[in-house]
Amino acid sequence: MAKSTVVIPNYNGIAYIQACLESLYAGTVTDIEVIVVDNGSVDGSMELVKEKFLQVRLIVNKENKGFSYAVNQGIKASTTPYVILLNNDTQVDIAFVHELEKVMDSDKKKKIFSASAKMLSLYDKDQIDDAGDYYCALGWAFARGKGKKCSQYTTDCEIFSACAGAAIYRRELLEEDRIGLFDEAHFAYFEDIDIGYRAKIHGYINQFAANSIVYHAGSATSGSRYNSFKTRLASRNSVYVIYKNMPFFQILLNMPLLIVGFLIKTVFFARKGMGKEYLLGLVKGVQLSMSPEGKKRKQRFHIRRAGNYASIQFLLWRNIIRLIE
């Protein structure tokens, strides 16, 4: 019986999806279920999957519903103990699934919520693309090890959150009465930071699986590392994550650093000609947070989790230092 269901969201991924699926099926773990969730592709990628990968389960949306919506569809359709999320612009190592399952199976107390694979650049396979994600008190999320040599990241360790581009999740904890599914209000960007943050509030761990390797093209859907769509959406969601997961007193505590973080980002994007998009995103983030939907999804503070909040706050400060390490 399969332990894992691999969910691959796809949007016009004709250049990548075949290589992604071929590498997945060439792995050492052959007993897996694979679900491809298409977000209204018009490039023939779904026709390719239908023709060449008959064993893949397809969920087809008529329009682009966003990353969070798509992966939630796949999660809801799964029945296995674990769910692996995988970007369509990846190729996986032969032991990718095995090593992720190994990390989860080793946790007898079931305190590990997620484990993030070691993502390497598809075009420079000695270079880290993402070795797990960090989040800091400046309101910034950043990929651990980005641009560094992969030989520096050979040991499993705890991270702030898993990068949903290649990560495994304990499916039972994704049920609504536990940690819950990905927040579809994000559409895309910061949704994995948000769910990892929620897991930590509830006392769970997010892990880096050093021996699970993925090669990632990067920015295949949005088109480039920096563009107006991504800047506006990521800016909006950066505000929403803070509102959702920090109690009021924690927002006040971090406010000076958050203001500094937003000012630095404003200058950064202004120099790239996207300052207006970034500021518009911040405004949209406040509007989303104050909306009925945003207020409904805010994490309620419970005194029994005070220790978890204290631990998270230490990490928010510690991760500022990790920015320059």
Side-chain angles (χ1 to χ4, degrees):
M1 179 179 176
K3 287 184 182 179
S4 299
T5 299
V6 181
V7 176
I8 304 174
N10 180 70
Y11 177 66
N12 291 336
I14 189 71
Y16 301 99
I17 191 69
Q18 181 171 343
C20 176
L21 289 168
E22 286 176 346
S23 68
L24 191 58
Y25 282 118
T28 55
V29 177
T30 56
D31 190 9
I32 53 172
E33 297 181 13
V34 179
I35 300 174
V36 172
V37 184
D38 186 67
N39 264 333
S41 295
V42 294
D43 65 343
S45 51
M46 277 304 89
E47 288 74 15
L48 183 152
V49 174
K50 288 178 183 179
E51 178 185 346
K52 296 191 174 184
F53 300 95
L54 300 179
Q55 66 272 55
V56 169
R57 294 169 61 190
L58 282 173
I59 298 174
V60 180
N61 297 314
K62 293 182 179 180
E63 59 184 3
N64 188 355
K65 297 282 191 176
F67 179 90
S68 299
Y69 185 93
V71 298
N72 282 350
Q73 285 179 297
I75 292 167
K76 291 174 184 177
S78 68
T79 58
T80 52
Y82 307 134
V83 176
I84 296 173
L85 303 187
L86 184 65
N87 279 4
N88 64 349
D89 61 338
T90 59
Q91 296 174 30
V92 304
D93 178 74
I94 192 171
F96 164 71
V97 173
H98 169 73
E99 292 295 339
L100 287 179
E101 291 180 347
K102 182 179 176 181
V103 169
M104 304 302 277
D105 288 345
S106 68
D107 176 29
K108 303 306 180 185
K109 295 183 179 180
K110 296 186 176 182
K111 296 299 290 182
I112 296 177
F113 167 64
S114 68
S116 190
K118 179 160 63 179
M119 300 181 76
L120 305 177
S121 170
L122 182 63
Y123 307 111
D124 182 355
K125 296 182 179 180
D126 289 327
Q127 186 180 100
I128 290 286
D129 184 64
D130 192 299
D133 287 344
Y134 284 145
Y135 183 67
C136 72
L138 293 168
W140 299 356
F142 56 101
R144 175 174 173 259
K146 183 82 171 180
K148 296 183 179 179
K149 291 293 182 181
C150 63
S151 57
Q152 298 177 245
Y153 298 86
T154 58
T155 305
D156 291 8
C157 63
E158 189 172 342
I159 52 178
F160 193 90
S161 67
C163 172
I168 191 169
Y169 296 84
R170 201 176 296 277
R171 190 180 61 83
E172 63 181 318
L173 296 180
L174 292 166
E175 296 173 0
E176 291 294 350
D177 61 343
R178 308 292 288 276
I179 294 169
L181 293 166
F182 285 81
D183 186 345
E184 294 171 10
H186 282 94
F187 190 84
Y189 307 118
F190 274 83
E191 73 291 321
D192 45 7
I193 293 291
D194 171 59
I195 203 167
Y197 202 137
R198 271 186 278 149
K200 296 184 78 63
I201 290 172
H202 285 80
Y204 291 96
I205 295 168
N206 302 301
Q207 189 84 0
F208 170 59
N211 295 319
S212 179
I213 298 172
V214 174
Y215 303 100
H216 183 218
S219 301
T221 297
S222 61
S224 62
R225 186 174 180 184
Y226 301 112
N227 57 71
S228 296
F229 170 79
K230 183 175 180 179
T231 298
R232 192 164 52 247
L233 201 53
S235 171
R236 184 197 71 158
N237 292 346
S238 67
V239 174
Y240 184 45
V241 163
I242 293 165
Y243 168 78
K244 269 193 68 180
N245 296 293
M246 290 188 189
F248 181 68
F249 67 84
Q250 193 175 27
I251 293 176
L252 288 180
L253 176 65
N254 290 303
M255 187 60 72
L257 286 171
L258 291 172
I259 290 173
V260 169
F262 287 131
L263 285 174
I264 292 173
K265 288 281 189 178
T266 299
V267 172
F268 174 84
F269 283 106
R271 288 179 174 177
K272 291 187 173 293
M274 290 181 284
K276 182 179 178 181
E277 285 82 358
Y278 181 77
L279 291 173
L280 179 61
L282 295 182
V283 172
K284 293 292 186 182
V286 173
Q287 292 174 342
L288 174 58
S289 299
M290 295 298 101
S291 70
E293 180 182 12
K295 291 179 179 180
K296 180 181 178 181
R297 292 179 179 272
K298 183 171 176 63
Q299 293 294 296
R300 305 303 171 192
F301 175 78
H302 295 286
I303 191 64
R304 67 178 181 273
R305 297 187 183 127
N308 297 339
Y309 282 103
S311 176
I312 290 169
Q313 184 58 50
F314 171 77
L315 288 174
L316 295 179
W317 287 328
R318 173 70 179 89
N319 289 343
I320 295 176
I321 299 173
R322 286 186 167 125
L323 274 167
I324 57 176
E325 286 182 343

